[in-house]
Amino acid sequence: MATVGGVATSAIAAGDREIRPQNAPSTADHSAFAELKGPFANGPEVTKACLKCHTKASHQLMRTTHWTWAFDNKLTGQMLGKKNVINNFCVATATNWPRCTSCHIGYGWKNAAFDLTNQDAVDCLVCHDATGKYKKFPAGAGHPVYEPKEFPPKSGKIWQPVDLAMVAQKVGQPTRANCGACHFFGGGGDGVKHGDLDSSMFKPDKALDVHMDAKGLNFTCQTCHTTGGHEVTGSRYATKAVDRIGVDVPGKTDFTRSSCESCHGLTPHPESNHPKLNDHTDRVACQTCHIPEFARGGRKTKTWWDWSTAGQSKKVIKDADGYATYHPKKGDFVWQANVRPEYYWFNGNIRYQLLEDKIDPTGVVNINAFGGDSTDADARIWPFKVMRGKQPYDVKNRILAVPHLFGKDEAAFWKHYDWDKALEAGLKARGVSYSGEHAFVETRYFWPITHMVAPKAQAVGCNECHAKNGRLESLTGFYMPGRDSIPWLSTLGWYGALLALIGVGLHGAIRIIAAMRRS
Amino acid sequence: MKTRERVFSRFERFWHWFQAVLIIALMITGFEVNGAYALVGYEEAAGWHRACAWVLIWLWVFAIFWHLVTGEWKQYIPTTERLMAVMKYYSVGIFDHSVPHPYKKTVRFKHNPLQRIAYLSFNIAITPVIWITGLLYMYYNDWPANWGLTLGDVALVHVAAAFAMLIFFIAHVYMAFTGHPPMQYVKAMITGYDDVYPEEKGANK
């Protein structure tokens, strides 16, 4: 099998069809370009070289969420994006820039002064590296290392500089490795955030993901998340809960394939398989049946993060599989593999708990809340990973607090473990003055699950939902056969039948007694 | 004097027993779908329920056709004549062997007044309700939008009719063994032959 830039170019047979490779080799041999001969001192120099030919690339990119880390949700009017939201992982990006922005597609976002219009700061390589050798430094504000550097500190693990010229000469279309370099490690580690995206998805087998199966269909991310002008479709901030457009045909539809229906249509099940399956597609998301569990690839995902215990001990505690269940800097964790999702009605309308929104600390605070119920025609039953945890809030201001975690300064929590200082600095960076009093509140963050699509034989069967105490036990407001019955009617009916039995039993008994007396 | 004659035609007997089997299967699977117990699991129960329902619907179509063509539908015309006498017989007289059944069965009038009322209720109340709500249930997805009807409403009526069917079934099965000798009526429904009386003028209208 020939490879160009590490990408298989021969057609792969999947089933009885011939599957053409997703990553066709480029028509340009980048190693032949004088501009890319190098040497390059740093990432921005590479970008300058790229932009000499790809003159529009950075302009295109700067309009995307990948760059702005801001997302204007037209549905709710909320300004979201990593720059603005609060979560229950590392809480917020503000003041923690060099660490957080190591996943940004730009170079040098190390403080609030970062110039979002600087074209040279766009990192072309992180998405277009085909060698697998290009790595951003975890605390480098988006830069790789240019000199050998130890990380984590005192770990003895030395990060070596990347041969930028070599990488630049071998660029290609993004692969799962490129997208995964950031998206599989969201939340600061493998599988921490999503649950349906972790490093097992670099080369999944069919059992883990039928579409991305490395030996089968081998889809890349953009096979579904179609791109155009560097804009990637399918946003988590505005999840399309229902796709009534169906099969995506260029020129006729919206040219986005980031929904199951875009390829499979609205009635994907052969009638001969089961007459009721297609009847479910109006109320049940495809993912609900076809992703029976997430974190199925051998990696665990974080499901609980309790910040309130951070700094209380200096010892890292790990479980039998090597996952930290306590970390001095971060508090207590729960990790889970093969997690059954939680199910909720969802119509695509998601509202986030933003910094300015008051919280009710007496209950569990929802980091995001979403619309939809059984009476809403736009809602379907969706699977979710629910991330739970405890995080700091400002008691008097009644808002979720933003801690300043990363840095070498006095206020950095990971340096001095002083919540008050860390929260004061974090909130100040967002233009809010800290009241001086903090406590911890339990929060929930809902993640619609959509990856790790299992082979159809592993799909959730009828009996798993149509049963008492089944998967959908907690969903109310509608009648579901097998799960629901009408208690008063059942009582009335069974007592009626019992009375009829007693009646005929007595009648029969008297007949028998009468017959016995006669003889 | 009474004679033995063929009262139930071959189709009638086939229809009766086939329907009996289907209704038993539908009750067993239906109450499982309703969550009353777990025998074969929801999916299989629902599958058999659907399959049996379709067969029964076709059987009903044929049975209705047969009743119309043969005129046998007249057997279900209700009457109050001798109704009280029959009810009195089943509540008192039946325990005394010397008391005869007040109803003299003939070929043209093979159901007593109580049977007429019971079977007519079965035919025009229980059965159509089950049939209509069952089809609505099956084609839940094709209902027009904003119909104002929920699946729960349909399930309520369907299950209520199913309980009515169960109670009818219990009583019917018991009544089948109230002949003299007890197996008389069951035998008649199997062989088609039963004791009948000659038609008297003005009787059994």
Side-chain angles (χ1 to χ4, degrees):
Chain A
M1 194 188 290
T3 63
V4 171
V7 175
T9 55
S10 70
I12 300 160
D16 54 352
R17 287 166 301 164
E18 196 185 42
I19 306 295
R20 302 216 166 267
Q22 299 289 325
N23 299 296
S26 171
T27 51
D29 177 2
H30 284 80
S31 66
F33 292 148
E35 281 82 356
L36 298 179
K37 282 280 176 280
F40 298 106
N42 53 44
E45 278 190 19
V46 179
T47 300
K48 268 188 199 145
C50 300
L51 296 181
K52 278 185 188 160
C53 296
H54 301 279
T55 53
K56 291 276 189 193
S58 61
H59 294 287
Q60 290 181 349
L61 214 109
M62 284 178 166
R63 286 198 294 266
T64 71
T65 310
H66 271 134
W67 176 261
T68 59
W69 276 17
F71 182 88
D72 184 7
N73 189 339
K74 299 276 191 295
L75 212 58
T76 60
Q78 287 189 309
M79 187 51 85
L80 307 172
K82 283 187 198 306
K83 206 171 74 174
N84 302 304
V85 295
I86 293 172
N87 66 33
N88 54 3
F89 295 89
C90 281
V91 185
T93 51
T95 75
N96 306 309
W97 299 113
R99 190 75 171 86
C100 298
T101 58
S102 65
C103 264
H104 185 243
I105 52 158
Y107 295 119
W109 193 344
K110 57 186 179 203
N111 54 45
F114 178 64
D115 180 8
L116 281 162
T117 62
N118 176 12
Q119 292 186 44
D120 298 344
V122 170
D123 182 352
C124 307
L125 295 180
V126 71
C127 297
H128 293 282
D129 164 40
T131 66
K133 304 267 194 247
Y134 182 80
K135 279 192 173 66
K136 283 167 171 274
F137 185 65
H143 284 282
V145 290
Y146 304 121
E147 287 160 12
K149 224 174 190 175
E150 188 182 33
F151 191 88
K154 296 174 206 151
S155 66
K157 193 183 167 198
I158 307 296
W159 288 60
Q160 295 295 342
V162 182
D163 182 347
L164 293 171
M166 183 274 288
V167 172
Q169 287 167 20
K170 292 186 175 172
V171 290
Q173 290 285 313
T175 63
R176 289 193 300 270
N178 297 109
C179 306
C182 286
H183 291 280
F184 295 168
F185 300 91
D190 194 357
V192 169
K193 248 184 198 170
H194 299 271
D196 58 340
L197 292 173
D198 60 36
S199 66
S200 66
M201 298 292 268
F202 281 131
K203 279 188 179 168
D205 59 10
K206 194 175 180 184
L208 181 58
D209 192 293
V210 289
H211 300 112
M212 294 198 256
D213 174 16
K215 291 197 176 107
L217 298 172
N218 203 24
F219 281 14
T220 60
C221 303
Q222 63 270 30
T223 308
C224 299
H225 294 272
T226 43
T227 61
H230 281 97
E231 188 74 64
V232 181
T233 60
S235 170
R236 199 166 267 280
Y237 288 120
T239 305
K240 191 189 271 182
V242 176
D243 179 3
R244 293 208 180 81
I245 296 172
V247 176
D248 182 50
V249 180
K252 292 191 174 175
T253 48
D254 59 356
F255 196 55
T256 159
R257 284 199 290 269
S258 52
S259 73
C260 308
E261 292 88 340
S262 304
C263 294
H264 295 283
L266 303 171
T267 53
H269 310 96
E271 201 68 13
S272 55
N273 277 13
H274 198 294
K276 289 306 277 188
L277 286 184
N278 284 333
D279 284 352
H280 284 67
T281 58
D282 60 337
R283 310 290 7 228
V284 181
C286 309
Q287 289 86 340
T288 296
C289 299
H290 291 279
I291 308 173
E293 288 174 341
F294 57 87
R296 285 191 292 118
R299 313 278 187 280
K300 293 184 183 180
T301 188
K302 202 173 277 187
T303 54
W304 172 259
W305 183 330
D306 180 0
W307 276 102
S308 70
T309 57
Q312 287 180 1
S313 158
K314 285 190 173 163
K315 258 175 91 177
V316 176
I317 301 167
K318 289 186 175 176
D319 68 9
D321 301 312
Y323 288 84
T325 55
Y326 178 78
H327 194 288
K329 284 183 173 178
K330 301 174 182 178
D332 283 297
F333 301 139
V334 172
W335 296 84
Q336 284 180 283
N338 305 315
V339 190
R340 176 194 276 198
E342 295 180 32
Y343 300 93
Y344 300 95
W345 289 100
F346 176 43
N347 64 7
N349 187 334
I350 313 178
R351 274 199 85 81
Y352 278 75
Q353 172 77 35
L354 295 177
L355 186 62
E356 61 268 24
D357 301 329
K358 297 280 180 207
I359 61 161
D360 172 12
T362 58
V364 177
V365 174
N366 288 332
I367 295 284
N368 60 353
F370 44 90
D373 58 45
S374 62
T375 61
D376 181 351
D378 288 332
R380 297 200 298 184
I381 295 166
W382 266 76
F384 286 85
K385 170 189 169 176
V386 184
M387 176 66 189
R388 294 178 167 84
K390 281 186 184 172
Q391 65 193 95
Y393 75 98
D394 185 316
V395 173
K396 287 183 186 149
N397 286 332
R398 280 210 297 127
I399 55 168
L400 291 175
V402 175
H404 171 48
L405 300 169
F406 181 83
K408 292 193 169 83
D409 53 290
E410 267 303 294
F413 184 76
W414 286 345
K415 198 85 186 161
H416 300 284
Y417 298 102
D418 184 329
W419 276 118
D420 287 318
K421 280 184 182 164
L423 297 175
E424 185 178 10
L427 282 167
K428 193 178 162 197
R430 294 282 292 261
V432 178
S433 60
Y434 174 52
S435 73
E437 202 180 316
H438 77 273
F440 293 86
V441 65
E442 191 173 331
T443 57
R444 291 191 298 183
Y445 192 178
F446 298 89
W447 296 78
I449 291 292
T450 193
H451 304 102
M452 293 189 180
V453 176
K456 58 185 168 193
Q458 269 86 61
V460 173
C462 313
N463 299 352
E464 294 189 48
C465 297
H466 289 279
K468 297 199 192 307
N469 305 314
R471 284 180 185 246
L472 300 186
E473 190 60 28
S474 63
L475 289 184
T476 53
F478 65 104
Y479 185 89
M480 190 165 84
R483 180 193 71 173
D484 297 325
S485 51
I486 299 144
W488 65 262
L489 177 63
S490 300
T491 308
L492 200 71
W494 291 118
Y495 273 114
L498 185 68
L499 273 178
L501 269 179
I502 292 170
V504 299
L506 280 176
H507 197 272
I510 299 170
R511 274 173 65 210
I512 291 166
I513 292 164
M516 275 160 48
R517 280 204 184 143
R518 207 167 45 242
S519 60
Chain B
M1 246 357 264
K2 64 181 181 185
T3 52
R4 274 188 82 73
E5 273 176 69
R6 208 188 69 171
V7 181
F8 302 110
S9 72
R10 187 175 292 174
F11 176 80
E12 208 169 11
R13 283 174 284 142
F14 162 77
W15 160 60
H16 173 265
W17 291 111
F18 194 17
Q19 173 169 265
V21 170
L22 290 169
I23 285 174
I24 291 166
L26 281 159
M27 285 197 295
I28 292 170
T29 54
F31 283 116
E32 173 153 18
V33 167
N34 187 238
Y37 43 76
L39 288 179
V40 294
Y42 174 86
E43 184 175 4
E44 216 165 299
W48 281 108
H49 196 72
R50 220 168 23 239
C52 291
W54 277 120
V55 178
L56 186 56
I57 285 172
W58 280 111
L59 189 62
W60 273 331
V61 170
F62 278 113
I64 289 168
F65 174 73
W66 178 87
H67 276 90
L68 290 177
V69 168
T70 57
E72 285 292 299
W73 61 273
K74 288 176 188 156
Q75 301 282 359
Y76 306 108
I77 297 171
T79 174
T80 52
E81 197 182 317
R82 292 201 221 172
L83 177 62
M84 292 313 290
V86 171
M87 284 171 68
K88 196 181 164 199
Y89 170 75
Y90 281 114
S91 47
V92 184
I94 191 168
F95 305 121
D96 182 348
H97 222 250
S98 61
V99 175
H101 199 296
Y103 184 79
K104 304 285 177 245
K105 191 180 213 169
T106 72
V107 174
R108 273 182 60 210
F109 302 94
K110 55 196 178 195
H111 298 323
N112 71 49
L114 200 59
Q115 281 177 304
R116 282 174 181 250
I117 289 172
Y119 300 163
L120 185 69
S121 311
F122 179 88
N123 287 336
I124 67 165
I126 301 176
T127 297
V129 169
I130 286 216
W131 184 343
I132 291 162
T133 54
L135 284 170
L136 279 174
Y137 205 129
M138 247 191 271
Y139 289 101
Y140 163 69
N141 287 74
D142 301 321
W143 295 4
N146 308 323
W147 212 9
L149 202 61
T150 70
L151 186 61
D153 301 333
V154 169
L156 172 78
V157 180
H158 193 66
V159 174
F163 276 119
M165 176 71 89
L166 176 64
I167 290 164
F168 171 87
F169 178 80
I170 291 167
H172 182 68
V173 169
Y174 175 71
M175 295 296 271
F177 293 97
T178 54
H180 291 305
M183 284 297 285
Q184 184 199 341
Y185 300 153
V186 180
K187 271 188 189 157
M189 206 61 224
I190 293 169
T191 62
Y193 286 88
D194 202 359
D195 293 342
V196 284
Y197 293 87
E199 207 118 337
E200 284 170 37
K201 223 178 173 183
N204 296 334
K205 257 191 284 189

